[in-house]
Amino acid sequence: MKIRSMAAVLAASVLLPLGAANATDLEVTHWWTSGGEAAAVAELAKAFDATGNKWVDGAIAGSGGTARPIMISRITGGDPMGATQFNHGRQAEELVEAGLMRDLTDVATREHWKDVIKPASLLDSCTIDGKIYCAPVNIHSWQWLWLSNAAFEKAGVAVPKNWDEFVAAAPALEKAGIVPLAVGGQAWQASGAFDVLMLALAGKDTFYKVFKDKDADMAAGPEMAKVFKAADDARRMSKGTNVQDWNQATNMVITGKAGGQIMGDWAQGEFALAGQVAGKDYSCLPGLGVTDVIATGGDAFYFPLLKDEEKSKAQEVLASTLLAPATQVAFNLKKGSLPVRGDVDLAAANDCMKKGLDILAKGNVIEWTDQLLSADTQKQKEDLFSEFFANPSLTPEDAQKRFAEIIASAD
């Protein structure tokens, strides 16, 4: 891709003069609109504004599934924003191949991203044909079961230590008028919960066989049948959730209306905003208390090619600012995610974040479905599990058959 050469990225101590000299507004689109997410975005905006430029917030309400088509339409339609959030992986692949996104290789080289971004798979997911097209900002792992300590106390049962104990506690929760498992109505929530069950119960090798190798026989086999049985349990336990957004489901756990929720570590932002303390008010089970493995998916910012020279310079400053150590700490503490830099101090991390950091330090990580599957395959999977959770007449056996068909044609 032929683009304008990037200017040298200055050290953090001189970013302010650079930004002030070339101050401009830069629209940044994203789908972070819950209370905890908004607090985290404010940290990014504050850091960028401190350079003398201006973060113009382009939040799009709803999930990524709602926001991404709007973002893509603007870029392909000739109305690009200054920067936009995607999950690092394959979501922007076609935009890059069409020559619509900016090559950040010069910035990444000058600032030694390959040396400080850990694990390396994060930057690999931003790399196409040897060029880097995005700035990863966090590590988000889906593999968590969040539990309301108050709900289990009310039900008279101990807080579970793993998935089986959680399933066993469901009748007591229901008797106490508590929904055992909160699952919101958005398709990605049901699909994500299934993926978490799959990794925890079938293991890393099976997960990779299915999603990385696209092994349809494995997808149709007995190991996956166990996962579909667990998904059927989850479906039964989630009956009565009656909310749409993920953060509404998280709020059910915060308020003790639900016993637990399978959700990514971004849920921590909602607990923090509600003033709840990890280990006291709520508990967390990475890998559902079964498998100490977390995914290294997450969020990144991509930069569409712009004709405006001043805004192009501001893009460079923003890319640098997002990866600055201070920004990484401030943002991720609010977001509930882990930093992409391996050289920052997270002494202020809560108990649940520390569990994630320990797993990350041990190298027990895995690529997630955003990195392994195309957007089209992801959509097919989401549609299937949205129907599965909403329609009790769709049997686990029939759902598994359809799942295997999706994997057989996956790209």
Side-chain angles (χ1 to χ4, degrees), residues 290-301:
V290 178
T291 307
D292 268 356
V293 177
I294 62 173
T296 53
D299 301 291
F301 281 90

Side-chain angles (χ1 to χ4, degrees), residues 262-287:
I262 297 174
M263 186 50 59
D265 52 10
W266 49 89
Q268 291 190 89
E270 303 305 302
F271 286 103
L273 196 66
Q276 296 214 333
V277 178
K280 177 184 175 184
D281 301 305
Y282 67 97
S283 298
C284 56
L285 299 179

